[in-house]
Amino acid sequence: MTEVGNSDFSKSSITQAQSGDMKDMTEVRNSDFSTNMCSNIQQDEIAIVMVPFPAQGHLNQLLQLSCLISSLYDLHVYYVGSATHNRQARVRANALNPSDIAKIHFHDIPTPEFASPPPDYNALSKFPSQLQPSWDASMLLRESIASFLRDISSKSRRVVVVHDSLMSYNVQDVSSLHNAESYVFNCISVFTLYCLMSLSMGMSVQLEEELVKKLPSMEGTLTDKIKNLGASQSPYIDIRSGDIHNTSKVIEDEFLDLFAQVASKKEKKQWAIGPVLPTKLDGLSNKENICLEWLNKQPSRSVLYVSFGTTTSFSNREIKELAMGLEQSKQRFLWVLRDADRGDIFTGEAKRLELPEGFEERVKGVGLVVREWAPQPEILAHSSMGGFMSHCGWNSCIESITMGVPIAAWPMHSDQPKNGFLVTEMLKIGLIVREWEKREELVSASTIENVVRKLMASEEGDAIRKRAEELGEAVRQSTEKGGASRMELDSFIAHITR
């Protein structure tokens, strides 16, 4: 679950969207598509139905996959969810071409009303419990999804459901349709998935002994409520015909093999088709975006991008230490300082997070603080980008890896500690800001200053940056025709259109 950028909407529009005043601009652009598609489903040879889990990182990855499949293979793709979350996916479209989004058929499913409380800024746990009511409501969509699938099944040779693993219960009726099959799209790293599966089966993680000792524990990553929600999916997950991963063999070949060994008892097919985000961002940039305008004036590889995604809340003390650490480092930085998401991002006022007095004046010219939605993939692809201080949600990791930017890893919850470990210990393209075992301690300004200086202004940082750039180049090549990821995607499409 992670912050993503949006290049398609002006900064004023995004500010309006966060305050709930904005009419859905994409809805206007896509006015030729009815939001209630059931009466409007086309006679399809193959119909692909995407069913995302309603959290930003999950919505984003499945929208990216929708656009990739629709634009490359000219297949009909349906994106199914609540009206609020479908709108969220469109408004925050991640560097996607508007003409590609316009090809996707969004189907709004009626969802029971749910509470949308603000985040708890002072909670010791960083897990976004404020989103739980929206997740609970999403577990009541089974009947509506089944009805949609029955309708589309009657008009298609084959229905292919691609769903988040946390939506397995909701799509279980796929097994009752003679011409339908389902695939799980995994929104986390295969390394994390492999670790979770191994531990759940009582197996040891196959790593060097020294690495096993350093592996972050699962303790504190999840709440009991989300664990229960995950457990409630397990009776239905084996209905799937295979797994799709948003990663590349270039990044995680070793762990794809290990995961396949653990999962082989279930004889499911595997495809590593990532990154599913656009790797060529030329011509998509919103040239008037304040972030990109500012980056154009900075030297090559000189700027640290600071962003902690859509689910992280910081207390005033934490913001103060981070501000002081960045200022004392004397390094250039671009800091996206936003409130964490509510369950419905279009309701309620977002809290304005306060910085130390005079901070923005003192860092003028060296640092820029933005409080609105930022075009993250385009920021990371910019030539002035030299590092990324991140919570290590998989969206942010895969974007940073793809664009060749090293990571200052500061995990907050869920899969993030394992992702941070993958980036820093396995791929060696980052530095850890704070050990997971010390997650409840305040990270001091001096710790932040030291990590920033090491990454941005030391020989060790230069070596890390060089490795990140080389890996990024290899990952981008893997998505080109004949590359490992493109061949995996071709293989998946050939399989579902057989």
Side-chain angles (χ1 to χ4, degrees), residues 163 182-186 237 239-245 267-271 492 495:
H163 66 96
S182 64
Y183 299 85
V184 163
F185 180 77
N186 290 301
I237 205 154
I239 292 167
R240 77 195 192 284
S241 298
D243 287 276
I244 314 166
H245 305 286
E267 295 181 352
K268 305 293 182 189
K269 292 181 178 290
Q270 310 281 329
W271 292 274
F492 174 66
H495 176 73

Side-chain angles (χ1 to χ4, degrees), residues 340-353:
D341 280 354
R342 295 171 178 243
D344 181 345
I345 67 164
F346 303 103
T347 63
E349 281 293 316
K351 177 184 174 186
R352 182 179 168 85
L353 305 173

Side-chain angles (χ1 to χ4, degrees), residues 3-269:
E3 177 147 6
V4 290
N6 170 34
S7 61
D8 190 39
F9 299 99
S10 71
K11 57 195 179 194
S12 62
S13 301
I14 292 302
T15 308
Q16 290 168 5
Q18 301 311 333
S19 64
D21 298 334
M22 183 176 124
K23 287 185 179 173
D24 190 344
M25 298 163 70
T26 320
E27 219 162 84
V28 175
R29 180 185 289 132
N30 292 351
S31 57
D32 51 329
F33 292 123
S34 159
T35 51
N36 184 358
M37 291 297 305
C38 271
S39 58
N40 204 23
I41 292 170
Q42 301 182 26
Q43 193 78 30
D44 286 334
E45 171 71 358
I46 305 288
I48 300 174
V49 180
M50 302 284 178
V51 186
F53 182 68
Q56 179 57 39
H58 301 241
L59 295 167
N60 176 57
Q61 291 185 57
L62 273 172
L63 183 58
Q64 288 176 341
L65 179 60
S66 299
C67 289
L68 186 63
I69 289 175
S70 172
S71 61
L72 276 182
Y73 303 96
D74 200 27
L75 292 166
H76 285 130
V77 180
Y78 300 84
Y79 190 97
V80 177
S82 76
T84 291
H85 292 110
N86 283 354
R87 182 182 172 199
Q88 178 177 334
R90 292 194 296 266
V91 166
R92 292 177 168 182
N94 186 355
L96 295 169
N97 193 317
S99 63
D100 289 339
I101 298 170
K103 293 176 189 166
I104 308 304
H105 306 267
F106 290 91
H107 177 71
D108 296 345
I109 283 185
T111 307
E113 282 191 24
F114 55 84
S116 191
D120 179 355
Y121 307 97
N122 296 308
L124 276 177
S125 167
K126 292 294 183 189
F127 189 85
S129 297
Q130 78 275 7
L131 300 178
Q132 191 68 47
S134 72
W135 298 338
D136 291 341
S138 76
M139 292 303 116
L140 304 172
L141 303 184
R142 177 190 169 188
E143 290 305 323
S144 298
I145 290 173
S147 170
F148 177 77
L149 292 177
R150 280 193 297 273
D151 193 48
I152 207 167
S153 163
S154 69
K155 299 176 173 136
S156 310
R157 177 171 73 84
R158 178 177 295 125
V159 177
V160 177
V161 178
V162 178
H163 66 96
D164 199 288
S165 63
L166 288 169
M167 298 298 273
S168 300
Y169 168 82
N170 281 325
V171 302
Q172 61 179 289
D173 296 284
V174 76
S175 61
S176 67
L177 301 171
H178 73 285
N179 61 340
E181 58 195 29
S182 64
Y183 299 85
V184 163
F185 180 77
N186 290 301
C187 291
I188 61 177
S189 66
V190 174
F191 171 68
T192 299
L193 198 59
Y194 162 66
C195 290
L196 294 177
M197 188 169 274
S198 296
L199 294 169
S200 71
M201 296 169 74
M203 299 165 65
S204 57
V205 175
Q206 300 298 303
L207 291 175
E208 293 168 26
E209 196 178 334
E210 283 306 304
L211 289 172
V212 172
K213 284 180 191 170
K214 290 184 183 177
L215 194 64
S217 71
M218 283 298 296
E219 199 176 321
T221 57
L222 302 169
T223 59
D224 288 341
K225 282 185 176 178
I226 195 70
K227 284 180 194 169
N228 292 339
L229 190 149
S232 71
Q233 308 301 309
S234 57
Y236 312 99
I237 205 154
D238 277 350
I239 292 167
R240 77 195 192 284
S241 298
D243 287 276
I244 314 166
H245 305 286
N246 187 12
T247 191
S248 171
K249 287 183 173 178
V250 172
I251 306 169
E252 296 195 272
D253 198 23
E254 175 189 351
F255 301 110
L256 282 158
D257 288 344
L258 287 168
F259 176 73
Q261 288 169 29
V262 175
S264 66
K265 296 164 186 170
K266 297 173 181 176
E267 295 181 352
K268 305 293 182 189
K269 292 181 178 290

Side-chain angles (χ1 to χ4, degrees), residues 7 281-290 292-293 296 378:
S7 61
L281 302 181
D282 318 339
L284 281 181
S285 287
N286 176 357
K287 301 289 189 243
E288 293 175 13
N289 182 277
I290 187 173
L292 301 172
E293 273 185 6
N296 287 340
E378 290 154 292

